[in-house]
Amino acid sequence: MTWSTPLARRSKTLSASLGLGEKLFASSEERRFADAIETGLEAVEAGLLREVTFADDMADVTSRYLLEAGGKRIRPVLTLLTAQLGEGATPEVITAAQAIEITHLASLYHDDVMDEAELRRGVPTAQHKWGNSVAILTGDLLFARASKLVASLGERAIKLQADTFERLCLGQLHETLGPRAEDEPIEHYLQVLADKTGSLIAAAAQMGVIFSHADPAFAAPVVAFGEKIGVAFQLIDDVIDLAEPEAGTGKAQGTDLRSGVATLPLLYLRRAALTDASAADLLDRIERNVDETKGDEAELAAAIAELRTHPVTAETLVEARRWADDAVAGLALLPDGPVKKALTKFAEAVVDRSK
């Protein structure tokens, strides 16, 4: 395959970043499989650029903003991978992959408003650039565009998207409200991650099976894989949130903590603080300074750096790997071959990433 255009080179980089490069596949069958994923990614990427184009000048600029900032395209890759269990990247699979990614993009616009984030993918967030109202409306426009694509796939796709969108909203709502008195905070948080992140990744995997006309028996294991790998992905994000400013993550250090999100390292720290005086002291310094109108920025930065090297962050990494291992274990129900091999590599890439 010749990678002669910027779009093709970008597609190759995207899949290679997930460990799907040529070195993974030794046989000619496996190389054909890898080529099929790359070709599918090219088609998805071209379609994304087309589908987020609007006749209105302002809507066109704002809706393309985060798409052009980049992204890993994890969800479309997963749709393309599971489609190889059936007829491969059919036109319906490509449409489904585009709809899933546009839904994800839309959710980012809304998330950044709620989190008051300043950076996304290394650029100022849409709400930081144009204000909350424009960012929210841009997210709504993208949800509408994703819905048009899904509608072309029929009633089953519409219901799947609606169910997934419901879980996305419930996950955000439960994160915003926090655990109730009767909820165990860590279990509550993991359910938020399953709803906010895992549900859309699971839908991406399921759509690959459905629209490639694969054996319906493959749907349950890939859905379970998608949901669990989504939780693992977000737990790694919790660790990345603590990375040093120069680490090149595309986000400001401690964005989630500063916006009031109790990530897993912080939840583990709160648990440790019940019996450990040093953990209690670190927790106090974080919570006392996280309010930028009252806290001390230098002290907060030092506390975040300390949390980054604290055992609770290492414990978070262990938990992320446990979710990824569980995801891979569920693939036993799939036939041996390049799909199972690639999904296993996919899981490894999720937990080994640094941004």
Side-chain angles (χ1 to χ4, degrees):
M1 181 174 293
T2 302
W3 300 98
S4 56
T5 68
L7 180 61
R9 288 194 298 271
R10 183 179 182 189
S11 174
K12 186 177 184 182
T13 300
L14 289 168
S15 61
S17 71
L18 292 171
L20 302 178
E22 292 180 2
K23 292 182 179 179
L24 175 62
F25 302 106
S27 70
S28 58
E29 177 192 3
E30 290 174 331
R31 285 195 295 273
R32 285 193 297 272
F33 169 86
D35 284 348
I37 301 301
E38 298 292 0
T39 301
L41 271 174
E42 282 189 61
V44 169
E45 195 75 11
L48 288 173
L49 293 170
R50 181 181 64 251
E51 295 298 338
V52 300
T53 298
F54 288 82
D56 181 273
D57 290 345
M58 185 60 183
D60 190 56
V61 170
T62 61
S63 64
R64 292 164 67 96
Y65 181 64
L66 284 183
L67 177 67
E68 292 177 345
K72 302 176 185 67
R73 308 290 191 262
I74 280 178
R75 293 152 191 83
V77 168
L78 189 51
T79 302
L80 293 166
L81 285 179
T82 59
Q84 297 301 314
L85 292 165
E87 297 173 8
T90 66
E92 292 81 9
V93 166
I94 298 299
T95 297
Q98 291 162 355
I100 288 286
E101 184 65 10
I102 293 171
T103 299
H104 171 59
L105 281 170
S107 73
L108 298 183
Y109 283 83
H110 287 186
D111 284 353
D112 287 341
V113 171
M114 299 192 72
D115 295 344
E116 299 181 353
E118 295 186 1
L119 288 175
R120 168 72 69 177
R121 296 177 174 176
V123 299
T125 56
Q127 59 90 11
H128 190 71
K129 191 173 178 68
W130 291 293
N132 287 350
S133 296
V134 170
I136 291 169
L137 290 168
T138 299
D140 291 344
L141 281 170
L142 290 172
F143 279 128
R145 190 57 60 88
S147 296
K148 287 176 67 176
L149 286 171
V150 169
S152 73
L153 296 173
E155 183 178 353
R156 185 175 184 184
I158 293 170
K159 186 177 186 303
L160 177 55
Q161 188 207 32
D163 289 343
T164 303
F165 192 49
E166 180 178 317
R167 288 190 65 190
L168 291 174
C169 293
L170 285 172
Q172 186 66 63
L173 178 65
H174 293 153
E175 179 181 89
T176 301
L177 295 176
R180 297 167 296 184
E182 64 269 26
D183 293 332
E184 199 287 315
I186 292 174
E187 290 180 4
H188 173 271
Y189 181 64
L190 291 173
Q191 184 60 53
V192 165
L193 299 190
D195 289 336
K196 273 191 63 177
T197 303
S199 64
L200 189 58
I201 294 179
Q206 187 174 0
M207 283 195 170
V209 170
I210 292 171
F211 295 108
S212 70
H213 312 292
D215 186 336
F218 297 152
V222 303
V223 166
F225 174 87
E227 182 141 340
K228 290 176 181 179
I229 211 64
V231 174
F233 182 92
Q234 192 58 57
L235 292 177
I236 295 298
D237 256 13
D238 286 356
V239 175
I240 292 172
D241 186 57
L242 305 176
E244 297 177 0
E246 61 272 18
T249 64
K251 293 174 62 178
Q253 183 190 36
T255 294
D256 292 334
L257 289 179
R258 294 169 193 273
S259 63
V261 176
T263 59
L264 194 60
L266 187 67
L267 291 172
Y268 280 159
L269 186 67
R270 286 176 179 170
R271 187 176 65 184
L274 297 174
T275 56
D276 183 334
S278 64
D281 174 68
L282 175 57
L283 178 63
D284 176 67
R285 282 184 280 127
I286 291 172
E287 295 185 336
R288 177 161 34 89
N289 290 292
V290 77
D291 185 344
E292 61 183 24
T293 63
K294 300 176 182 178
D296 180 274
E297 172 58 31
E299 188 173 349
L300 177 60
I304 291 173
E306 188 175 337
L307 179 59
R308 183 173 64 249
T309 60
H310 195 279
V312 295
T313 300
E315 189 178 356
T316 300
L317 288 171
V318 170
E319 180 69 2
R321 291 192 173 95
R322 185 183 71 79
W323 279 87
D325 289 345
D326 285 350
V328 170
L331 298 177
L333 297 173
L334 298 184
D336 291 335
V339 174
K340 184 186 289 189
K341 185 175 182 179
L343 289 173
T344 301
K345 189 67 177 178
F346 184 104
E348 293 170 0
V350 163
V351 295
D352 289 340
R353 68 197 174 90
S354 59
K355 60 182 179 178

